[in-house]
Amino acid sequence: MAIFKRDPWILDIYRTYSGANHLYIRGRALEDQPLKHYEQQTLYQTLRNTWRTFATDEIRNAQVKLTLPNGKFFEVKADHEGYFLFNIKTDIDLDALTDKEGYLSFTVSFDEDNSAFAKAKRQKRLKINKFSGESLIPLETAAYGVISDIDDTIMHTGVTSFLKMRVAFNTFFKNYDRRLALKGAASFYQLLHRGSSSNDQNPMFYLSNSPWNLYKYLEKFLDFHGFPKGPILLRDFPTPWDRTPKLKRPHKEHELINILKHYPHMKFILIGDSGEHDADYYKDVAQQFPDRIMAIYLRSVDHKKKMLRVKSIADGFTICPMLLVKESKEAVTHARENGWIV
């Protein structure tokens, strides 16, 4: 008689951001096979990957341990959907543990003293118990940070399409190497990352309303198209029976404010599009931190009503430049005129 083989336990770790004395690290405990994304997949392989991306089985309330390169460790408990967050202030000098690009490496593991771990080990569902991750701690050479939306800002998505049908088609039927980056976006972001000295290593943060399930997919897309490396900040899609406390603000606005509070002495350039609510979020954040936002660039979308609304916001905005741009070269010209890039 065939024995039903269950998926192994894994810890999915998302690249996030931390501070010199503040860990802010996210991930998820899952019963799953690690996904394998690669170029030139067949349609069948793409659909199979998409199915597995969303058909996840969380490990509820798992005890998770994070270990730093110096041996110091911290522990948290995952929630009922398997998500865990290390949001910890510490007296450890985390800067001293980063590499030359400002990334802090660490490992995350299941708590071996937990009874659930012992059971999983007996069932041979835990072949390894050390999962590597990294978190960005911006270098002192950074002149400013860049926070960018993903959908229809750097990747053709179709958020404004009827019933978002194009979004669904692109997500389910196109592999990351077949998705189109907006013209000139990657080179513009590389210029911003390098800054006015060509070696600033300005931190890049990528925001999206996509679920965390698409993290690996988006990470591969950014790397494939040559975008600078940076934290990718997605969100949990709540189910009707989800009891997780809801955010007081929309996901993007919450992350924007969290990043600005994380780095109180850093200024930022914000990049989005005119298709959704980026203009509203960016306007509100600039009003709350009027001395911290250098410029707001919004890509024009092919939707007359939305464009008129965003143009009315931009025309009356005076805190910082808010530019509607059709192509990256317009933003490049403005950033170069202000001495932010070479």
Side-chain angles (χ1 to χ4, degrees):
M1 184 175 69
I3 299 174
F4 178 66
K5 187 177 180 180
R6 302 183 69 180
D7 285 332
W9 279 22
I10 65 170
L11 290 170
D12 233 2
I13 306 168
Y14 312 127
R15 187 192 304 136
T16 52
Y17 54 92
S18 294
N21 301 102
H22 190 172
L23 289 167
Y24 189 74
I25 292 165
R26 291 182 179 275
R28 194 179 189 190
L30 297 168
E31 296 180 16
D32 203 2
Q33 296 282 350
L35 280 174
K36 295 181 180 179
H37 288 287
Y38 51 90
E39 297 172 31
Q40 298 181 340
Q41 289 182 166
T42 64
L43 178 60
Y44 168 75
Q45 291 167 329
T46 298
L47 288 172
R48 184 184 61 182
N49 257 0
T50 303
W51 167 256
R52 288 183 53 208
T53 294
F54 288 96
T56 54
D57 293 319
E58 69 278 358
I59 301 173
R60 298 185 176 193
N61 308 316
Q63 292 291 134
V64 182
K65 178 180 177 180
L66 182 148
T67 305
L68 297 175
N70 63 1
K72 297 289 185 180
F73 65 88
F74 306 89
E75 294 180 292
V76 296
K77 186 178 182 180
D79 65 20
H80 72 287
E81 289 190 90
Y83 291 104
F84 59 84
L85 170 64
F86 290 88
N87 188 5
I88 299 169
K89 290 187 177 180
T90 173
D91 57 2
I92 300 171
D93 181 9
L94 299 175
D95 270 331
L97 303 176
T98 60
D99 63 19
K100 62 181 182 180
E101 294 182 346
Y103 281 94
L104 170 71
S105 295
F106 56 85
T107 60
V108 177
S109 57
F110 291 100
D111 179 8
E112 296 189 12
D113 295 328
N114 187 271
S115 59
F117 172 87
K119 182 179 179 181
K121 198 169 184 180
R122 286 196 304 271
Q123 295 173 342
K124 296 183 179 181
R125 300 179 64 190
L126 239 166
K127 296 179 181 179
I128 60 170
N129 190 29
K130 185 180 285 188
F131 303 86
S132 299
E134 59 183 0
S135 187
L136 174 65
I137 301 178
L139 299 177
E140 292 183 359
T141 57
Y144 53 83
V146 178
I147 304 175
S148 173
D149 176 46
I150 294 177
D151 306 311
D152 287 330
T153 299
I154 61 177
M155 178 172 69
H156 284 284
T157 304
V159 172
T160 60
S161 61
F162 179 67
L163 296 179
K164 300 191 188 307
M165 293 300 291
R166 196 177 301 165
V167 177
F169 177 83
N170 287 330
T171 300
F172 287 94
F173 295 97
K174 284 190 175 182
N175 194 37
Y176 70 90
D177 60 329
R178 296 188 61 210
R179 299 296 297 272
L180 297 176
L182 273 79
K183 183 180 178 181
S187 58
F188 176 42
Y189 283 43
Q190 288 289 356
L191 287 171
L192 291 170
H193 177 57
R194 294 194 295 267
S196 59
S197 74
S198 294
N199 195 36
D200 289 351
Q201 297 200 60
N202 297 320
M204 314 293 291
F205 303 86
Y206 300 98
L207 294 180
S208 174
N209 275 327
S210 296
W212 284 112
N213 306 64
L214 290 175
Y215 174 83
K216 294 291 184 186
Y217 181 95
L218 293 173
E219 183 183 46
K220 284 284 189 179
F221 169 86
L222 292 169
D223 183 57
F224 178 79
H225 287 284
F227 285 90
K229 182 178 176 181
I232 302 170
L233 309 167
L234 310 181
R235 66 171 178 147
D236 173 24
F237 269 10
T239 58
W241 51 89
D242 187 359
R243 296 179 182 178
T244 305
K246 301 298 184 289
L247 296 174
K248 294 180 180 179
R249 298 184 179 92
H251 158 68
K252 283 186 182 179
E253 188 176 2
H254 170 81
E255 287 293 354
L256 280 165
I257 292 173
N258 198 44
I259 292 169
L260 266 75
K261 287 183 176 179
H262 225 82
Y263 310 111
H265 305 296
M266 183 175 287
K267 293 188 176 184
F268 287 88
I269 292 173
L270 310 181
I271 309 176
D273 65 84
S274 54
E276 290 288 283
H277 300 287
D278 292 348
D280 302 286
Y281 299 149
Y282 291 174
K283 179 193 71 174
D284 291 347
V285 166
Q287 288 172 338
Q288 293 179 60
F289 303 91
D291 299 324
R292 305 274 308 281
I293 308 303
M294 298 162 59
I296 297 170
Y297 298 127
L298 298 170
R299 284 189 178 273
S300 303
V301 297
D302 187 18
H303 193 292
K304 186 176 180 180
K305 186 176 180 180
K306 291 179 183 292
M307 281 297 300
L308 288 173
R309 189 185 76 85
V310 173
K311 188 177 185 306
S312 68
I313 294 174
D315 288 345
F317 195 71
T318 58
I319 293 175
C320 69
M322 181 184 284
L323 275 67
L324 271 68
V325 298
K326 290 184 178 180
E327 294 185 9
S328 295
K329 61 184 180 182
E330 298 170 53
V332 169
T333 299
H334 182 267
R336 188 167 283 144
E337 288 173 348
N338 281 275
W340 302 331
I341 61 174
V342 293

PDB file of all heavy atoms in Angstrom, residues 158-173:
ATOM      1  N   GLY A 158      -1.374  45.926 -15.546  1.00  0.00           N
ATOM      2  CA  GLY A 158      -2.760  46.057 -15.991  1.00  0.00           C
ATOM      3  C   GLY A 158      -3.730  46.262 -14.857  1.00  0.00           C
ATOM      4  O   GLY A 158      -4.865  45.786 -14.901  1.00  0.00           O
ATOM      5  N   VAL A 159      -3.303  46.993 -13.823  1.00  0.00           N
ATOM      6  CA  VAL A 159      -4.167  47.238 -12.668  1.00  0.00           C
ATOM      7  C   VAL A 159      -5.430  47.986 -13.053  1.00  0.00           C
ATOM      8  O   VAL A 159      -6.500  47.797 -12.462  1.00  0.00           O
ATOM      9  CB  VAL A 159      -3.384  48.014 -11.568  1.00  0.00           C
ATOM     10  CG1 VAL A 159      -4.307  48.455 -10.456  1.00  0.00           C
ATOM     11  CG2 VAL A 159      -2.267  47.139 -11.006  1.00  0.00           C
ATOM     12  N   THR A 160      -5.339  48.841 -14.098  1.00  0.00           N
ATOM     13  CA  THR A 160      -6.511  49.631 -14.489  1.00  0.00           C
ATOM     14  C   THR A 160      -7.399  48.901 -15.500  1.00  0.00           C
ATOM     15  O   THR A 160      -8.410  49.447 -15.941  1.00  0.00           O
ATOM     16  CB  THR A 160      -6.075  50.977 -15.099  1.00  0.00           C
ATOM     17  OG1 THR A 160      -5.269  50.727 -16.254  1.00  0.00           O
ATOM     18  CG2 THR A 160      -5.280  51.791 -14.092  1.00  0.00           C
ATOM     19  N   SER A 161      -7.044  47.663 -15.873  1.00  0.00           N
ATOM     20  CA  SER A 161      -7.850  46.929 -16.854  1.00  0.00           C
ATOM     21  C   SER A 161      -9.193  46.530 -16.262  1.00  0.00           C
ATOM     22  O   SER A 161      -9.372  46.474 -15.045  1.00  0.00           O
ATOM     23  CB  SER A 161      -7.102  45.680 -17.327  1.00  0.00           C
ATOM     24  OG  SER A 161      -6.843  44.802 -16.246  1.00  0.00           O
ATOM     25  N   PHE A 162     -10.151  46.221 -17.125  1.00  0.00           N
ATOM     26  CA  PHE A 162     -11.513  45.878 -16.704  1.00  0.00           C
ATOM     27  C   PHE A 162     -11.497  44.665 -15.767  1.00  0.00           C
ATOM     28  O   PHE A 162     -10.993  43.595 -16.119  1.00  0.00           O
ATOM     29  CB  PHE A 162     -12.378  45.595 -17.933  1.00  0.00           C
ATOM     30  CG  PHE A 162     -13.803  45.219 -17.605  1.00  0.00           C
ATOM     31  CD1 PHE A 162     -14.659  46.150 -17.036  1.00  0.00           C
ATOM     32  CD2 PHE A 162     -14.271  43.944 -17.848  1.00  0.00           C
ATOM     33  CE1 PHE A 162     -15.965  45.815 -16.724  1.00  0.00           C
ATOM     34  CE2 PHE A 162     -15.581  43.595 -17.553  1.00  0.00           C
ATOM     35  CZ  PHE A 162     -16.429  44.540 -16.985  1.00  0.00           C
ATOM     36  N   LEU A 163     -12.054  44.863 -14.575  1.00  0.00           N
ATOM     37  CA  LEU A 163     -12.107  43.829 -13.541  1.00  0.00           C
ATOM     38  C   LEU A 163     -10.725  43.236 -13.255  1.00  0.00           C
ATOM     39  O   LEU A 163     -10.609  42.130 -12.731  1.00  0.00           O
ATOM     40  CB  LEU A 163     -13.069  42.701 -13.948  1.00  0.00           C
ATOM     41  CG  LEU A 163     -14.547  43.094 -14.095  1.00  0.00           C
ATOM     42  CD1 LEU A 163     -15.354  41.883 -14.532  1.00  0.00           C
ATOM     43  CD2 LEU A 163     -15.092  43.667 -12.798  1.00  0.00           C
ATOM     44  N   LYS A 164      -9.675  44.013 -13.590  1.00  0.00           N
ATOM     45  CA  LYS A 164      -8.291  43.579 -13.381  1.00  0.00           C
ATOM     46  C   LYS A 164      -7.994  42.237 -14.066  1.00  0.00           C
ATOM     47  O   LYS A 164      -7.167  41.441 -13.596  1.00  0.00           O
ATOM     48  CB  LYS A 164      -7.967  43.498 -11.876  1.00  0.00           C
ATOM     49  CG  LYS A 164      -8.122  44.829 -11.142  1.00  0.00           C
ATOM     50  CD  LYS A 164      -7.542  44.755  -9.763  1.00  0.00           C
ATOM     51  CE  LYS A 164      -7.827  45.967  -8.905  1.00  0.00           C
ATOM     52  NZ  LYS A 164      -7.479  47.248  -9.488  1.00  0.00           N
ATOM     53  N   MET A 165      -8.649  41.980 -15.188  1.00  0.00           N
ATOM     54  CA  MET A 165      -8.468  40.719 -15.892  1.00  0.00           C
ATOM     55  C   MET A 165      -7.023  40.553 -16.386  1.00  0.00           C
ATOM     56  O   MET A 165      -6.486  39.453 -16.397  1.00  0.00           O
ATOM     57  CB  MET A 165      -9.434  40.625 -17.070  1.00  0.00           C
ATOM     58  CG  MET A 165     -10.895  40.535 -16.662  1.00  0.00           C
ATOM     59  SD  MET A 165     -11.245  39.079 -15.639  1.00  0.00           S
ATOM     60  CE  MET A 165     -11.010  37.781 -16.847  1.00  0.00           C
ATOM     61  N   ARG A 166      -6.418  41.661 -16.786  1.00  0.00           N
ATOM     62  CA  ARG A 166      -5.049  41.565 -17.267  1.00  0.00           C
ATOM     63  C   ARG A 166      -4.097  41.206 -16.133  1.00  0.00           C
ATOM     64  O   ARG A 166      -3.107  40.503 -16.333  1.00  0.00           O
ATOM     65  CB  ARG A 166      -4.627  42.890 -17.910  1.00  0.00           C
ATOM     66  CG  ARG A 166      -3.369  42.761 -18.779  1.00  0.00           C
ATOM     67  CD  ARG A 166      -3.048  44.075 -19.452  1.00  0.00           C
ATOM     68  NE  ARG A 166      -4.143  44.535 -20.287  1.00  0.00           N
ATOM     69  CZ  ARG A 166      -4.258  45.765 -20.753  1.00  0.00           C
ATOM     70  NH1 ARG A 166      -3.335  46.661 -20.453  1.00  0.00           N
ATOM     71  NH2 ARG A 166      -5.273  46.113 -21.515  1.00  0.00           N
ATOM     72  N   VAL A 167      -4.394  41.686 -14.932  1.00  0.00           N
ATOM     73  CA  VAL A 167      -3.578  41.334 -13.762  1.00  0.00           C
ATOM     74  C   VAL A 167      -3.599  39.832 -13.556  1.00  0.00           C
ATOM     75  O   VAL A 167      -2.568  39.182 -13.364  1.00  0.00           O
ATOM     76  CB  VAL A 167      -4.093  42.041 -12.486  1.00  0.00           C
ATOM     77  CG1 VAL A 167      -3.287  41.599 -11.273  1.00  0.00           C
ATOM     78  CG2 VAL A 167      -4.018  43.550 -12.649  1.00  0.00           C
ATOM     79  N   ALA A 168      -4.799  39.250 -13.587  1.00  0.00           N
ATOM     80  CA  ALA A 168      -4.950  37.808 -13.376  1.00  0.00           C
ATOM     81  C   ALA A 168      -4.226  37.016 -14.455  1.00  0.00           C
ATOM     82  O   ALA A 168      -3.525  36.037 -14.160  1.00  0.00           O
ATOM     83  CB  ALA A 168      -6.422  37.435 -13.351  1.00  0.00           C
ATOM     84  N   PHE A 169      -4.385  37.438 -15.710  1.00  0.00           N
ATOM     85  CA  PHE A 169      -3.730  36.718 -16.802  1.00  0.00           C
ATOM     86  C   PHE A 169      -2.219  36.754 -16.654  1.00  0.00           C
ATOM     87  O   PHE A 169      -1.539  35.725 -16.777  1.00  0.00           O
ATOM     88  CB  PHE A 169      -4.130  37.325 -18.158  1.00  0.00           C
ATOM     89  CG  PHE A 169      -3.444  36.681 -19.326  1.00  0.00           C
ATOM     90  CD1 PHE A 169      -3.937  35.503 -19.869  1.00  0.00           C
ATOM     91  CD2 PHE A 169      -2.294  37.244 -19.871  1.00  0.00           C
ATOM     92  CE1 PHE A 169      -3.290  34.889 -20.944  1.00  0.00           C
ATOM     93  CE2 PHE A 169      -1.644  36.644 -20.944  1.00  0.00           C
ATOM     94  CZ  PHE A 169      -2.146  35.462 -21.481  1.00  0.00           C
ATOM     95  N   ASN A 170      -1.673  37.949 -16.377  1.00  0.00           N
ATOM     96  CA  ASN A 170      -0.223  38.080 -16.246  1.00  0.00           C
ATOM     97  C   ASN A 170       0.314  37.255 -15.081  1.00  0.00           C
ATOM     98  O   ASN A 170       1.383  36.645 -15.168  1.00  0.00           O
ATOM     99  CB  ASN A 170       0.162  39.548 -16.061  1.00  0.00           C
ATOM    100  CG  ASN A 170       0.020  40.352 -17.338  1.00  0.00           C
ATOM    101  OD1 ASN A 170       0.171  39.817 -18.430  1.00  0.00           O
ATOM    102  ND2 ASN A 170      -0.272  41.639 -17.207  1.00  0.00           N
ATOM    103  N   THR A 171      -0.429  37.239 -13.986  1.00  0.00           N
ATOM    104  CA  THR A 171       0.022  36.528 -12.782  1.00  0.00           C
ATOM    105  C   THR A 171       0.007  35.021 -12.981  1.00  0.00           C
ATOM    106  O   THR A 171       0.948  34.316 -12.603  1.00  0.00           O
ATOM    107  CB  THR A 171      -0.860  36.904 -11.585  1.00  0.00           C
ATOM    108  OG1 THR A 171      -0.770  38.325 -11.361  1.00  0.00           O
ATOM    109  CG2 THR A 171      -0.414  36.173 -10.328  1.00  0.00           C
ATOM    110  N   PHE A 172      -1.056  34.495 -13.580  1.00  0.00           N
ATOM    111  CA  PHE A 172      -1.228  33.046 -13.658  1.00  0.00           C
ATOM    112  C   PHE A 172      -0.582  32.399 -14.888  1.00  0.00           C
ATOM    113  O   PHE A 172      -0.215  31.234 -14.849  1.00  0.00           O
ATOM    114  CB  PHE A 172      -2.715  32.698 -13.616  1.00  0.00           C
ATOM    115  CG  PHE A 172      -3.331  32.874 -12.263  1.00  0.00           C
ATOM    116  CD1 PHE A 172      -3.964  34.053 -11.925  1.00  0.00           C
ATOM    117  CD2 PHE A 172      -3.253  31.870 -11.318  1.00  0.00           C
ATOM    118  CE1 PHE A 172      -4.529  34.228 -10.663  1.00  0.00           C
ATOM    119  CE2 PHE A 172      -3.804  32.027 -10.064  1.00  0.00           C
ATOM    120  CZ  PHE A 172      -4.445  33.210  -9.730  1.00  0.00           C
ATOM    121  N   PHE A 173      -0.453  33.150 -15.976  1.00  0.00           N
ATOM    122  CA  PHE A 173      -0.023  32.528 -17.225  1.00  0.00           C
ATOM    123  C   PHE A 173       1.343  32.988 -17.729  1.00  0.00           C
ATOM    124  O   PHE A 173       1.826  32.457 -18.725  1.00  0.00           O
ATOM    125  CB  PHE A 173      -1.065  32.777 -18.326  1.00  0.00           C
ATOM    126  CG  PHE A 173      -2.390  32.128 -18.047  1.00  0.00           C
ATOM    127  CD1 PHE A 173      -3.427  32.850 -17.471  1.00  0.00           C
ATOM    128  CD2 PHE A 173      -2.599  30.785 -18.354  1.00  0.00           C
ATOM    129  CE1 PHE A 173      -4.646  32.246 -17.198  1.00  0.00           C
ATOM    130  CE2 PHE A 173      -3.816  30.176 -18.096  1.00  0.00           C
ATOM    131  CZ  PHE A 173      -4.849  30.901 -17.513  1.00  0.00           C
TER     132      PHE A 173
END
